[in-house]
Each structure stands twice: as C-alpha cells, then as structure tokens.
Amino acid sequence: MEHRIEQIKKQLHAQSYKLTPQREATVRVLLEREEDHLSAEDVYLLVKEKAPEIGLATVYRTLELLSELKIVDKINFGDGVSRYDLRKEGAEHFHHHLVCTECGSVEEIIEDLLGDVEKIVEKNWGFQVKDHRLTFHGICKQCQEAAVQSTTTS
Ligand SMILES: [Zn+2]
Ligand SMILES: [Zn+2]
C-alpha cells in the first residue's frame, strides 16, 4: 500500500501536481477497494469516513485529475454511472471486465488476451493501438449455477 502511494505520488510530481492530504485520502480509498468499481459518490462516502472535512467536489476533482493522469481509468458499464478503476501496477493496458447482467457483479481479467487482435487492427487499418477497453456482458458462474439449481429443485 505505502509503496503504491509512493508511486502515485511520483506520477503526480512528474506532472507537477502534489499529493495533498485530500488527494491522498482519495487514493487510499481506491487502493483499499481496488477490486471494486466505485462511483464518485461511493468514493466520497468512504473518503468522508477518514476525512470528514472533504467535500464531494474535491473528491470529484481528484478523480478527474487521476483519470487525466491515467492513474485511474474511468469506466461505464452501461448503467449511466461513471466508475473509477485503479490501473494495475505496471499495466500497459486497461484490464477487461465481465459484467453479469443478472446480479451486476463485475469480474476482472488482468491478462491482455488482445495482442493478436491489436496486430490485425494495426495491419489492416494502419491504426496505432495505444489501449483498448473490453467489457463482456453476460451471466456469471454463480447466476448460472443458481439457475440450474432452481430448475432442478422445482
Ligand atoms: Zn476493473
Ligand atoms: Zn451474476
């Protein structure tokens, strides 16, 4: 955790920004809840527990700054809510997501998997790929199992 904070601090310094206590509180929440995909409101409520003096606008500005600096990625899973996702340490690409349309759970795929697809895009369209976002919508394992159970017991 401290090591990730140090790293983010360096990333901010490189762009002449400071890791102010408000920004640090926001970053800590994102690190603690790294597996989650929090909305600005979610982040704000968690930051407030640590730093009650912080306002929503400050948290919001911090999240925008972090996403401009590519420390977090802003994602939308189609429900109209922007969520903030910390970029994995050393990740060249944004990780992929599996979104369950039944229960709303979000799983992450850290492996890139798209190396071949990128090569095809670069070759056939002459497009230099810098990043990509991939979200699969479907039914998670738990929901599939629950569906099987409810048909066998009824
Ligand atoms: Zn994610
Ligand atoms: Zn599900």
Side-chain angles (χ1 to χ4, degrees), residues 141-154:
K141 226 177 181 170
Q142 283 74 24
C143 287
Q144 288 176 50
E145 281 164 9
V148 170
Q149 263 165 16
S150 70
T151 49
T152 50
T153 51
S154 60

mmCIF file of all heavy atoms in Angstrom, residues 141-154:
data_model
loop_
_atom_site.group_PDB
_atom_site.id
_atom_site.type_symbol
_atom_site.label_atom_id
_atom_site.label_comp_id
_atom_site.label_asym_id
_atom_site.label_seq_id
_atom_site.Cartn_x
_atom_site.Cartn_y
_atom_site.Cartn_z
ATOM 1 N N LYS A 141 -20.900 -17.173 -13.399
ATOM 2 C CA LYS A 141 -20.952 -18.574 -12.984
ATOM 3 C C LYS A 141 -21.978 -18.800 -11.873
ATOM 4 O O LYS A 141 -22.766 -19.740 -11.923
ATOM 5 C CB LYS A 141 -19.566 -18.943 -12.458
ATOM 6 C CG LYS A 141 -19.037 -20.253 -12.972
ATOM 7 C CD LYS A 141 -17.652 -20.428 -12.410
ATOM 8 C CE LYS A 141 -17.004 -21.704 -12.866
ATOM 9 N NZ LYS A 141 -15.586 -21.694 -12.468
ATOM 10 N N GLN A 142 -21.959 -17.924 -10.866
ATOM 11 C CA GLN A 142 -22.865 -18.081 -9.721
ATOM 12 C C GLN A 142 -24.325 -18.034 -10.186
ATOM 13 O O GLN A 142 -25.138 -18.843 -9.761
ATOM 14 C CB GLN A 142 -22.628 -16.979 -8.678
ATOM 15 C CG GLN A 142 -21.387 -17.172 -7.814
ATOM 16 C CD GLN A 142 -20.092 -16.891 -8.566
ATOM 17 O OE1 GLN A 142 -20.080 -16.156 -9.561
ATOM 18 N NE2 GLN A 142 -18.991 -17.478 -8.140
ATOM 19 N N CYS A 143 -24.625 -17.096 -11.060
ATOM 20 C CA CYS A 143 -26.007 -16.968 -11.537
ATOM 21 C C CYS A 143 -26.394 -18.171 -12.401
ATOM 22 O O CYS A 143 -27.523 -18.637 -12.345
ATOM 23 C CB CYS A 143 -26.196 -15.668 -12.304
ATOM 24 S SG CYS A 143 -26.205 -14.226 -11.228
ATOM 25 N N GLN A 144 -25.445 -18.679 -13.175
ATOM 26 C CA GLN A 144 -25.740 -19.875 -13.984
ATOM 27 C C GLN A 144 -26.047 -21.057 -13.074
ATOM 28 O O GLN A 144 -26.996 -21.802 -13.298
ATOM 29 C CB GLN A 144 -24.547 -20.238 -14.861
ATOM 30 C CG GLN A 144 -24.319 -19.291 -16.006
ATOM 31 C CD GLN A 144 -23.053 -19.669 -16.764
ATOM 32 O OE1 GLN A 144 -22.856 -20.811 -17.130
ATOM 33 N NE2 GLN A 144 -22.192 -18.695 -16.973
ATOM 34 N N GLU A 145 -25.231 -21.207 -12.009
ATOM 35 C CA GLU A 145 -25.441 -22.314 -11.078
ATOM 36 C C GLU A 145 -26.767 -22.164 -10.350
ATOM 37 O O GLU A 145 -27.500 -23.135 -10.158
ATOM 38 C CB GLU A 145 -24.282 -22.402 -10.078
ATOM 39 C CG GLU A 145 -23.069 -23.080 -10.698
ATOM 40 C CD GLU A 145 -21.784 -22.861 -9.900
ATOM 41 O OE1 GLU A 145 -21.847 -22.318 -8.776
ATOM 42 O OE2 GLU A 145 -20.722 -23.240 -10.434
ATOM 43 N N ALA A 146 -27.087 -20.953 -9.958
ATOM 44 C CA ALA A 146 -28.349 -20.700 -9.255
ATOM 45 C C ALA A 146 -29.535 -21.034 -10.170
ATOM 46 O O ALA A 146 -30.544 -21.595 -9.727
ATOM 47 C CB ALA A 146 -28.422 -19.235 -8.804
ATOM 48 N N ALA A 147 -29.394 -20.732 -11.460
ATOM 49 C CA ALA A 147 -30.472 -21.013 -12.411
ATOM 50 C C ALA A 147 -30.664 -22.513 -12.568
ATOM 51 O O ALA A 147 -31.786 -23.006 -12.609
ATOM 52 C CB ALA A 147 -30.170 -20.363 -13.759
ATOM 53 N N VAL A 148 -29.555 -23.244 -12.619
ATOM 54 C CA VAL A 148 -29.627 -24.703 -12.747
ATOM 55 C C VAL A 148 -30.314 -25.291 -11.518
ATOM 56 O O VAL A 148 -31.197 -26.134 -11.607
ATOM 57 C CB VAL A 148 -28.209 -25.318 -12.920
ATOM 58 C CG1 VAL A 148 -28.260 -26.835 -12.795
ATOM 59 C CG2 VAL A 148 -27.630 -24.922 -14.265
ATOM 60 N N GLN A 149 -29.915 -24.787 -10.331
ATOM 61 C CA GLN A 149 -30.498 -25.289 -9.094
ATOM 62 C C GLN A 149 -31.992 -25.041 -9.013
ATOM 63 O O GLN A 149 -32.742 -25.904 -8.592
ATOM 64 C CB GLN A 149 -29.804 -24.650 -7.883
ATOM 65 C CG GLN A 149 -28.732 -25.590 -7.371
ATOM 66 C CD GLN A 149 -27.775 -24.909 -6.421
ATOM 67 O OE1 GLN A 149 -28.089 -23.819 -5.924
ATOM 68 N NE2 GLN A 149 -26.644 -25.513 -6.183
ATOM 69 N N SER A 150 -32.415 -23.858 -9.433
ATOM 70 C CA SER A 150 -33.848 -23.571 -9.293
ATOM 71 C C SER A 150 -34.687 -24.396 -10.280
ATOM 72 O O SER A 150 -35.830 -24.707 -9.991
ATOM 73 C CB SER A 150 -34.128 -22.072 -9.464
ATOM 74 O OG SER A 150 -33.934 -21.679 -10.786
ATOM 75 N N THR A 151 -34.086 -24.809 -11.423
ATOM 76 C CA THR A 151 -34.885 -25.645 -12.331
ATOM 77 C C THR A 151 -34.889 -27.101 -11.861
ATOM 78 O O THR A 151 -35.871 -27.820 -12.092
ATOM 79 C CB THR A 151 -34.369 -25.596 -13.791
ATOM 80 O OG1 THR A 151 -32.968 -25.816 -13.780
ATOM 81 C CG2 THR A 151 -34.678 -24.284 -14.469
ATOM 82 N N THR A 152 -33.810 -27.550 -11.178
ATOM 83 C CA THR A 152 -33.796 -28.945 -10.750
ATOM 84 C C THR A 152 -34.607 -29.161 -9.470
ATOM 85 O O THR A 152 -35.094 -30.242 -9.231
ATOM 86 C CB THR A 152 -32.346 -29.475 -10.527
ATOM 87 O OG1 THR A 152 -31.667 -28.537 -9.705
ATOM 88 C CG2 THR A 152 -31.613 -29.649 -11.833
ATOM 89 N N THR A 153 -34.752 -28.125 -8.658
ATOM 90 C CA THR A 153 -35.499 -28.312 -7.397
ATOM 91 C C THR A 153 -36.986 -28.052 -7.574
ATOM 92 O O THR A 153 -37.770 -28.489 -6.756
ATOM 93 C CB THR A 153 -34.952 -27.395 -6.270
ATOM 94 O OG1 THR A 153 -34.896 -26.049 -6.776
ATOM 95 C CG2 THR A 153 -33.570 -27.809 -5.822
ATOM 96 N N SER A 154 -37.374 -27.356 -8.641
ATOM 97 C CA SER A 154 -38.809 -27.074 -8.771
ATOM 98 C C SER A 154 -39.505 -28.120 -9.625
ATOM 99 O O SER A 154 -38.877 -28.866 -10.341
ATOM 100 C CB SER A 154 -39.046 -25.681 -9.350
ATOM 101 O OG SER A 154 -38.459 -25.589 -10.628
#
